[in-house]
Amino acid sequence: MFSDQFRGKKVLLTGHSGFKGSWLALWLKQLGAEVYGLSLQVETTPSHIELLALCHKERMLDIRDQVAVHQAITDIQPDLVLHLAAQALVRKSYLQPLETWQTNLDGTLNLLESCRYSSSVKAIVVVTTDKVYLNKEQSDGYSEQDALGGYDPYSASKAACEILVQSYRQSYFSQQGVLVATARAGNVIGGGDWSEDRLIPDIIRASVSGTPLTIRYPDAVRPWQHVLDSLSGYLCLAAKLLTGDSLCAKAWNFGPASDAIFSVRQVLQTMQQYWPELSWLQGTDVPLKETNLLMINSTLAQEDLDWAPVWDFQQTALQTALWYQNYYQTGSVLSQYQLEHYQQCAREKGLPWALS
């Protein structure tokens, strides 16, 4: 897969202990990469990265620690950097704006500054979010050329990251021959997520405990996609950068198909098919502003990277439910099996990255 672009490569993966990061670490290992992780200590019990028991090298550090980040880059000498480490929760960003800005903006700055002094780094992918756009609650999906913005501290800090990356690309990396891109994905779901204040983990916790779930914005509409769909986009992009394709050093959207745009209420009703014990109440205390409608357009990635989402929303919901049902019934994880199943589905769809 990916024409063996990752085989034998040293890949530095920040945020490897998180939900997305743990799945990406698994995939990179399968692709033959030498994976090095940088993360904070695992904050959830259970933890997907610990359940996977991957044999990889890791350093538990704070991305805000410039000295530690620089030392890690110097020691590891990576070929590729995939930057996923972030404070990614909207509500937490309201409560802890300083930590959010420092982690997301200063942490990214520390990483880029260290990479520009590295002779080994050939490509960097900085993962941001679909919330970087100046959201006008429009029904058309935002494209990469649309204006950036952000109301809450999380969204604003990620939009600022996009500007930061563009500045470093133009000021330093383009002259050094290092290709740098940003990746924006939708709301990702899948097995192995136990993060706080996220819909699917909240659904699972409520179902397992038999307590009603409080929902703040049941009619909020989001682009839902399986975690592997976003990660396949990141890998398609990284593979292109590693080949030296300078035209790919820019911002990219990796969102779901238009038929995967659902309200929170619809997601709850779908998951209730697999967890009949699930019940929910609408919260009355909702003082913080959150986006009601958000969609992104991934035409550029589909046309120029030959990327496309593999699983529709129904398959995404099914695979997510199966993962958690299997874990709570047997204590084992389906991650490797689901990754292989996903790849087979991609081959059946004729996606180039799965056939190469």
Side-chain angles (χ1 to χ4, degrees):
M1 288 187 173
F2 300 104
S3 300
D4 279 341
Q5 283 297 329
F6 301 101
R7 187 167 301 281
K9 295 290 194 306
K10 286 186 177 181
V11 180
L12 177 62
L13 175 58
T14 75
H16 75 286
S17 65
F19 171 49
K20 274 188 182 180
S22 57
W23 277 95
L24 187 51
L26 174 66
W27 202 339
L28 285 166
K29 292 286 287 187
Q30 186 202 60
L31 293 172
E34 190 175 344
V35 181
Y36 295 80
L38 295 186
S39 285
L40 292 174
Q41 294 293 333
V42 175
E43 297 181 348
T44 66
T45 303
S47 159
H48 188 225
I49 192 69
E50 291 179 346
L51 290 172
L52 290 174
L54 298 175
C55 295
H56 61 270
K57 304 174 181 67
E58 63 181 9
R59 296 190 183 196
M60 311 314 286
L61 57 81
D62 193 323
I63 198 76
R64 294 174 292 180
D65 186 337
Q66 196 276 332
V67 174
V69 171
H70 183 77
Q71 190 62 54
I73 297 288
T74 301
D75 293 344
I76 296 168
Q77 292 291 295
D79 301 292
L80 168 67
V81 176
L82 297 169
H83 179 42
L84 278 66
Q87 195 302 97
L89 300 174
V90 172
R91 284 218 299 172
K92 185 176 181 180
S93 78
Y94 277 111
L95 300 172
Q96 300 178 9
L98 187 62
E99 176 186 339
T100 299
W101 276 97
Q102 289 177 338
T103 301
N104 295 349
L105 190 58
D106 292 353
T108 303
L109 177 59
N110 289 338
L111 187 74
L112 295 177
E113 182 67 3
S114 297
C115 285
R116 90 178 171 97
Y117 289 104
S118 169
S119 61
S120 67
V121 175
K122 301 177 181 63
I124 305 169
V125 176
V126 176
V127 173
T128 60
T129 174
D130 57 358
K131 298 177 180 65
V132 298
Y133 294 105
L134 179 62
N135 197 336
K136 304 174 183 178
E137 305 282 345
Q138 66 188 38
S139 57
D140 294 333
Y142 296 99
S143 298
E144 289 84 351
Q145 68 271 18
D146 285 323
L148 301 176
Y151 185 97
D152 58 87
Y154 167 68
S155 302
S157 68
K158 282 298 195 175
C161 280
E162 292 278 353
I163 298 172
L164 171 64
V165 171
Q166 181 180 1
S167 170
Y168 262 70
R169 180 191 301 121
Q170 296 171 339
S171 299
Y172 306 110
F173 290 123
S174 61
Q175 290 86 0
Q176 297 172 348
V178 179
L179 301 184
V180 187
T182 58
R184 308 160 181 175
N187 281 33
V188 297
I189 62 177
D193 190 3
W194 283 280
S195 304
E196 63 175 319
D197 206 23
R198 285 185 185 160
L199 183 59
I200 296 302
D202 287 346
I203 286 174
I204 301 305
R205 281 188 285 264
S207 300
V208 171
S209 65
T211 58
L213 176 61
T214 300
I215 298 297
R216 299 189 306 276
Y217 299 99
D219 297 314
V221 175
R222 296 286 188 273
W224 306 94
Q225 63 189 137
H226 195 273
V227 61
L228 292 175
D229 268 335
S230 64
L231 299 185
S232 67
Y234 303 166
L235 290 173
C236 282
L237 175 56
K240 282 281 191 178
L241 296 177
L242 286 172
T243 66
D245 190 338
S246 60
L247 295 178
C248 293
K250 56 187 176 183
W252 298 85
N253 286 345
F254 297 104
S258 58
D259 60 0
I261 311 299
F262 291 99
S263 69
V264 170
R265 189 188 308 275
Q266 290 172 307
V267 175
L268 288 164
Q269 292 169 344
T270 300
M271 294 303 291
Q272 195 176 41
Q273 299 173 21
Y274 307 107
W275 298 84
E277 59 271 37
L278 174 64
S279 62
W280 64 89
L281 305 169
Q282 182 166 352
T284 56
D285 182 17
V286 288
L288 304 179
K289 177 179 173 60
E290 291 191 29
T291 300
N292 185 61
L293 176 64
L294 178 60
M295 294 183 286
I296 58 174
N297 185 315
S298 303
T299 300
L300 181 65
Q302 294 177 28
E303 293 180 349
D304 291 2
L305 295 178
D306 291 324
W307 173 86
V310 174
W311 283 344
D312 61 19
F313 179 73
Q314 293 302 322
Q315 186 64 216
T316 292
L318 171 62
Q319 295 300 324
T320 300
L322 287 175
W323 195 102
Y324 285 107
Q325 287 172 344
N326 179 77
Y327 174 75
Y328 282 103
Q329 290 170 6
T330 70
S332 61
V333 297
L334 289 177
S335 304
Q336 184 65 50
Y337 168 80
Q338 289 190 340
L339 175 58
E340 293 171 359
H341 179 47
Y342 177 85
Q343 293 167 332
Q344 179 60 37
C345 291
R347 285 190 287 270
E348 291 172 357
K349 291 189 71 169
L351 294 179
W353 63 261
L355 299 174
S356 61

